[in-house]
Amino acid sequence: MRISELSRRSGVSVTTIKYYLREGLLAPGRQTSATQADYDDEHLRRLRLIRALTGVRGLSVTTTREVLDALAAHSGDTHLLLGLTLGSVSLSGESAEQDPAAGDVEALVEELGWHVHESAPARAVLAEALTSLRSVGIPMDRQTLLPYARLAERIAVLDLDGLDGLTDPLEAAERALLVTVLLEPALMALRRMAQENESARRHAR
């Protein structure tokens, strides 16, 4: 396809596509003349992933390039590929400064039997949330979190079930990213609605 068709099918402007080409995020097309090139479905899938990383995850062009390079280096490892795309795996591999609640998070992960890398950013986010809750007088501990974690397991099963049958790594990465990030507000809305329903069941006349 020509660049105009690539733009139409991807939803990315020609100007932006040319910028991605200059920055090395998108591989050059097959040159057909001095000023024209043809592009294929591989370009389309990569362009959609770039758009998801920059637009949905909000990554900078530099970080997006680093993620794409890491994906290319580990294209045969689906687990790592998904972790890199979703931000579950730190590109640097370094752990952030430990929060006082980091030990509680580690104990929770061990109790659940989860396989979560020690440098996973979500560990730090959870520890920070626990510390914030405790600072306002809510003594949240791993036993309180356990039933929430079990519900999260069930959601994760549904998330990964949606990727079954996808054989192209870039397509799987894009789908995982879009579903994870764009569905999160819907999950929060469902929680609020369920809370209202439960309150009505318990307290409404």
Side-chain angles (χ1 to χ4, degrees):
M1 71 191 89
R2 296 294 175 85
I3 194 169
S4 57
E5 175 70 4
L6 181 62
S7 173
R8 186 187 67 79
R9 293 179 62 185
S10 67
V12 179
S13 70
V14 170
T15 301
T16 301
I17 292 173
K18 289 181 177 179
Y19 171 68
Y20 290 157
L21 288 166
R22 288 196 304 273
E23 292 296 316
L25 271 70
L26 192 65
R30 183 178 61 85
Q31 207 71 31
T32 57
S33 71
T35 58
Q36 290 188 336
D38 277 343
Y39 302 87
D40 57 22
D41 287 340
E42 184 71 15
H43 288 93
L44 181 61
R45 287 190 290 269
R46 186 175 176 94
L47 192 53
R48 285 174 172 165
L49 181 55
I50 292 169
R51 184 180 63 176
L53 290 169
T54 57
V56 177
R57 261 193 73 191
L59 300 184
S60 67
V61 169
T62 300
T63 305
T64 296
R65 186 189 299 108
E66 292 174 355
V67 171
L68 291 171
D69 289 345
L71 292 179
H74 303 283
S75 59
D77 188 337
T78 302
H79 177 57
L80 182 55
L81 182 146
L82 293 176
L84 289 165
T85 306
L86 297 174
S88 304
V89 176
S90 172
L91 283 172
S92 66
E94 297 177 357
S95 300
E97 183 177 344
Q98 285 214 337
D99 188 279
D104 297 281
V105 174
E106 178 62 30
L108 177 67
V109 170
E110 289 184 4
E111 184 167 349
L112 290 163
W114 284 1
H115 301 284
V116 181
H117 197 276
E118 60 183 13
S119 67
R123 284 178 176 261
V125 172
L126 181 55
E128 184 178 351
L130 289 177
T131 298
S132 297
L133 285 164
R134 291 167 183 172
S135 72
V136 295
I138 302 176
M140 187 73 69
D141 58 22
R142 72 175 186 274
Q143 291 305 317
T144 308
L145 281 177
L146 195 58
Y148 289 96
R150 293 302 184 193
L151 290 173
E153 281 183 328
R154 293 166 61 186
I155 293 174
V157 170
L158 293 173
D159 289 340
L160 272 293
D161 282 349
L163 302 181
D164 286 348
L166 297 179
T167 57
D168 182 84
L170 290 182
E171 185 180 1
E174 181 204 15
R175 177 80 62 84
L177 176 59
L178 292 175
V179 169
T180 298
V181 176
L182 297 182
L183 190 60
E184 282 178 348
L187 295 176
M188 183 60 69
L190 286 170
R191 183 187 183 192
R192 294 286 184 265
M193 293 164 67
Q195 287 172 337
E196 180 180 350
N197 175 70
E198 183 63 16
S199 175
R201 188 186 69 80
R202 295 187 184 198
H203 306 299
R205 294 183 180 180

